[in-house]
């Protein structure tokens, strides 16, 4: 069928808040419903169609939830920037139900995915979340980058034919499968629900069929969760396992293991090790991460000070003993001798 080699992606923009008419301050959690549709072309994979429709439904849910978070913050007299809303939104939006429906429309198959999500503001401390803004933002950037990568891969898949299409389809299906788990885990870490993230990632790691990039990234994310729980040695074990697992950093930013290893070493006073790991992370990065640049600069200064400590300042004369305490015996003796001289 002509024209069906290229799939057409349709977003059902009719996203509603349920129950209708309820303003943000009236109830929490707030329930959001969203729908996404993918129209299939010849030789399109039903699984890819379903997951692509889900991704569109998620985009619609995120947009509507962003409006809600912004409105809710105003009722609490919180002045949030657009970036603040985006960062908070990634943590508070949870999918609680989804279903997919295949349907033959004329001669064309389409998949419709209906999502029910919630924004639970009652159990979220916005101020505490913003206090660790940098950490949450890094995770959100990773989540957004993975979604963008899938969108670009889907576009390539739609245009491809034959063997190339099958290869791209296999890669896209794999990305979608693991992407759901990783996205949920990152959301749990952003909400400081570290144990939930660890449990889900451990299940994935224990599956020996999971290899390569996904396995390495699962180790990395679990290490991030241990880092959040202030369990640095467990985190280091996972970061080491991630680095030892065959990967290429093309799909997932596994190189960030080195960044967190550097932060842990710095906290332990191992400044040379911190510099080494942070430099590796910096060289892998796009060299635009200001927080990473600052961490590397701080570690270098600490390492330099450890090698060349500043000379000790001599104690001021007359200030007392070398311990810094006032020598009252010497002071009284000097007073008595001075009095006798006058006599």
């Amino acid at each position: 069928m002509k024209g069906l080699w290229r799939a057409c992606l349709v977003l059902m923009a009719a996203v509603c808040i349920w129950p209708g008419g309820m303003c943000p301050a009236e109830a929490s959690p707030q329930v959001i419903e969203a729908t996404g549709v993918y129209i299939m072309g010849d030789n399109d994979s039903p699984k890819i169609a379903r997951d692509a429709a889900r991704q569109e439904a998620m985009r619609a849910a995120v947009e509507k939830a962003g409006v809600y978070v912004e409105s809710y913050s105003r009722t609490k007299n919180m002045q949030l920037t657009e970036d603040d809303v985006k960062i908070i939104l990634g943590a508070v939006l949870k999918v609680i139900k989804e279903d997919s429906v295949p349907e033959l429309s004329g001669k064309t198959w389409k998949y419709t995915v209906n999502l029910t999500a919630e924004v639970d503001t009652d159990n979220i401390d916005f101020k505490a979340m913003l206090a660790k803004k940098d950490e949450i933002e890094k995770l959100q950037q990773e989540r957004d980058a993975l979604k963008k990568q899938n969108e670009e891969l889907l576009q390539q898949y739609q245009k491809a034919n034959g063997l190339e299409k099958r290869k791209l389809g296999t890669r896209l299906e794999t990305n979608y499968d693991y992407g759901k788990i990783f996205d949920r885990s990152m959301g749990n870490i952003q909400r400081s629900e570290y144990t939930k993230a660890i449990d889900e990632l451990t299940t994935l790691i224990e599956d020996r069929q999971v290899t390569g990039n996904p396995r390495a990234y699962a180790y990395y994310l679990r290490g991030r969760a241990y880092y959040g729980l202030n369990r640095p040695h467990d985190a280091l074990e996972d970061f080491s396992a991630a680095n030892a697992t065959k990967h290429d950093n093309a799909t997932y930013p596994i190189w960030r293991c080195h960044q967190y290893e550097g932060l842990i070493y710095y906290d332990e006073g191992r400044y040379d090790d911190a510099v080494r790991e942070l430099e590796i992370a910096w060289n892998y990065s796009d060299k635009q991460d200001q927080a990473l640049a600052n961490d590397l600069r701080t570690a270098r200064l600490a390492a330099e000070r450890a090698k060349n400590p500043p000379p000790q300042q001599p104690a001021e004369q007359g200030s007392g003993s070398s311990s810094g305490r006032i020598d009252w015996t010497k002071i009284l003796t000097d007073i008595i001798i001075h009095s006798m001289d006058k006599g």
Side-chain angles (χ1 to χ4, degrees), residues 61-103:
V62 166
E63 289 176 359
K64 195 63 180 182
V67 174
Y68 171 72
V69 169
E70 189 174 5
S71 299
Y72 177 85
S73 68
R74 285 199 295 268
T75 68
K76 300 299 181 181
N77 296 319
M78 296 179 65
Q79 300 297 322
L80 299 181
T81 66
E82 184 178 342
D83 287 341
D84 291 338
V85 171
K86 185 177 180 181
I87 291 168
I88 291 173
L89 180 60
V92 301
L93 181 66
K94 295 182 182 180
V95 175
I96 57 178
K97 181 183 177 182
E98 68 176 87
D99 63 77
S100 60
V101 181
E103 180 183 3

Side-chain angles (χ1 to χ4, degrees), residues 20-272:
M22 185 174 289
C23 71
E26 288 178 349
S28 188
Q30 188 71 34
V31 178
I32 291 173
E33 294 180 345
T35 299
V37 174
Y38 184 91
I39 299 176
M40 296 177 62
D42 288 346
N43 299 322
D44 272 355
S45 160
K47 185 178 186 307
I48 289 176
R50 182 194 65 204
D51 288 336
R54 182 185 187 276
Q55 189 151 317
E56 284 302 300
M58 276 299 299
R59 183 184 294 111
V62 166
E63 289 176 359
K64 195 63 180 182
V67 174
Y68 171 72
V69 169
E70 189 174 5
S71 299
Y72 177 85
S73 68
R74 285 199 295 268
T75 68
K76 300 299 181 181
N77 296 319
M78 296 179 65
Q79 300 297 322
L80 299 181
T81 66
E82 184 178 342
D83 287 341
D84 291 338
V85 171
K86 185 177 180 181
I87 291 168
I88 291 173
L89 180 60
V92 301
L93 181 66
K94 295 182 182 180
V95 175
I96 57 178
K97 181 183 177 182
E98 68 176 87
D99 63 77
S100 60
V101 181
E103 180 183 3
L104 183 61
S105 178
K107 296 182 179 180
T108 304
W109 279 97
K110 69 176 181 179
Y111 265 81
T112 301
V113 170
N114 301 303
L115 291 182
T116 302
E118 69 177 18
V119 181
D120 190 355
T121 51
D122 280 352
N123 294 321
I124 297 295
D125 186 340
F126 281 19
K127 292 183 179 178
M129 191 173 290
L130 290 175
K132 55 176 186 176
K133 177 179 175 179
D134 290 344
E135 185 66 16
I136 294 176
E137 188 172 18
K138 274 185 285 190
L139 278 167
Q140 192 58 47
Q141 288 171 350
E142 289 180 29
R143 295 176 76 177
D144 292 343
L146 291 179
K147 290 174 184 176
K148 182 179 179 182
Q149 189 177 80
N150 285 344
E151 291 171 358
E152 293 172 349
L153 190 58
L154 178 62
Q155 292 173 4
Q156 296 175 36
Y157 168 81
Q158 291 171 334
K159 297 175 182 178
N161 293 299
L163 181 60
E164 182 187 7
K165 190 179 188 76
R166 287 196 293 274
K167 288 182 177 179
L168 288 171
T170 299
R171 182 180 166 193
L172 190 55
E173 287 182 4
T174 300
N175 285 7
Y176 279 137
D177 284 342
Y178 295 128
K180 294 177 186 177
I181 297 173
F182 293 149
D183 196 62
R184 282 197 302 269
S185 298
M186 285 187 276
N188 286 331
I189 295 172
Q190 287 176 312
R191 290 187 292 273
S192 299
E193 296 174 352
Y194 302 116
T195 302
K196 288 184 180 179
I198 290 169
D199 289 344
E200 184 158 25
L201 292 165
T202 297
T203 300
L204 187 65
I205 290 169
E206 289 175 347
D207 183 352
R208 291 299 168 183
Q209 293 184 336
V210 180
T211 60
N213 287 329
R215 185 173 190 83
Y217 194 61
Y219 274 123
Y220 156 71
L221 282 181
R222 195 173 69 173
R224 290 281 296 270
Y226 281 130
Y227 181 81
L229 281 174
N230 196 26
R231 292 168 58 177
H233 297 295
D234 289 325
L236 285 173
E237 285 186 7
D238 272 355
F239 294 145
S240 177
N243 289 328
T245 302
K246 186 177 180 180
H247 65 276
D248 58 16
N249 284 302
T251 306
Y252 307 105
I254 300 163
W255 59 266
R256 282 200 183 273
C257 287
H258 296 288
Q259 180 177 1
Y260 285 91
E261 287 173 311
L263 294 177
I264 292 171
Y265 291 146
Y266 181 87
D267 290 340
E268 293 179 346
R270 297 167 57 181
Y271 302 125
D272 286 336

